[in-house]
Amino acid sequence: MYTGLLHLHSYMTYLVLLGVLISFGAALAGLFGNRPFTDKDRKLGLLGLIPTHLQWVFGVILYFVSPRGLSNFSGEAMGDSVSRLYILEHPLTMIIAVVLITIGYSRAKRQIGTGKGFKSIAILYGIALALILSRIPWMAWPGN
Ligand code: HEM
């Protein structure tokens, strides 16, 4: 189960990055295009929301089954930067990113017909993307 889940979590990262990038880029284009936010734009926001939500669920399960997750928690492990990344920084930062994306999408979907939906997605997905990129374990991913 562990190996399969780790592969799933690893491959899902491509979809997460692609989806969030497309949603973010589309929101920026809409924002600078100065046009109203439509239902089609809301659906573009889903491209970032859906994979990050799935990834969150896989990540939480992985946290309990991985030897690098909760079972590795100790004072000594917290002193090691790589162990600390997996035990604390990666999960916490990714959860914050998922929350920001959820807020960005929920606000935007109430703004159909106005210009504000783009701003909500552009700002919150943008911050979330920066957070995700800052705490991906780059020494292990994408691997070879
Ligand atoms: C947007 C959300 C997330 C992204 C993009 C992401 C991405 C990644 C990537 C790329 C890896 C390295 C995979 C590999 O070694 O091939 C990883 C590992 C890991 N992630 Fe996530 N993750 C996310 C959310 C989470 C969450 C919310 C948790 C836990 C609450 C979590 C727990 C873990 C754990 C424990 C590992 C280490 C697994 C191992 O090597 O045994 N992740 N994650």
Side-chain angles (χ1 to χ4, degrees):
M1 172 177 173
Y2 164 62
T3 313
L5 199 60
L6 180 59
H7 281 126
L8 192 62
H9 195 64
S10 178
Y11 288 126
M12 269 304 291
T13 302
Y14 291 106
L15 289 184
V16 168
L17 292 178
L18 193 70
V20 177
L21 259 175
I22 294 174
S23 297
F24 176 60
L28 279 184
L31 192 64
F32 292 113
N34 227 351
R35 60 177 183 81
F37 186 77
T38 64
D39 196 53
K40 190 178 147 253
D41 299 312
R42 177 191 67 78
K43 286 182 185 145
L44 281 170
L46 281 178
L47 288 181
L49 181 88
I50 294 171
T52 37
H53 273 215
L54 285 173
Q55 183 70 315
W56 180 87
V57 176
F58 298 146
V60 170
I61 304 170
L62 192 56
Y63 192 68
F64 291 99
V65 297
S66 163
R68 296 191 185 93
L70 187 64
S71 65
N72 191 33
F73 183 87
S74 70
E76 196 188 331
M78 293 304 265
D80 175 69
S81 64
V82 173
S83 303
R84 194 174 55 241
L85 175 70
Y86 286 114
I87 297 168
L88 183 69
E89 295 168 3
H90 174 79
L92 192 65
T93 309
M94 297 304 179
I95 287 171
I96 294 171
V98 177
V99 170
L100 292 179
I101 286 176
T102 310
I103 297 173
Y105 175 78
S106 318
R107 283 192 181 167
K109 75 174 181 191
R110 291 195 293 267
Q111 301 293 342
I112 290 174
T114 76
K116 289 183 190 156
F118 293 123
K119 202 172 170 188
S120 170
I121 293 187
I123 294 176
L124 289 159
Y125 280 45
I127 299 171
L129 183 60
L131 289 177
I132 292 171
L133 290 174
S134 79
R135 286 299 177 274
I136 278 180
W138 293 108
M139 66 291 199
W141 190 84
N144 43 37

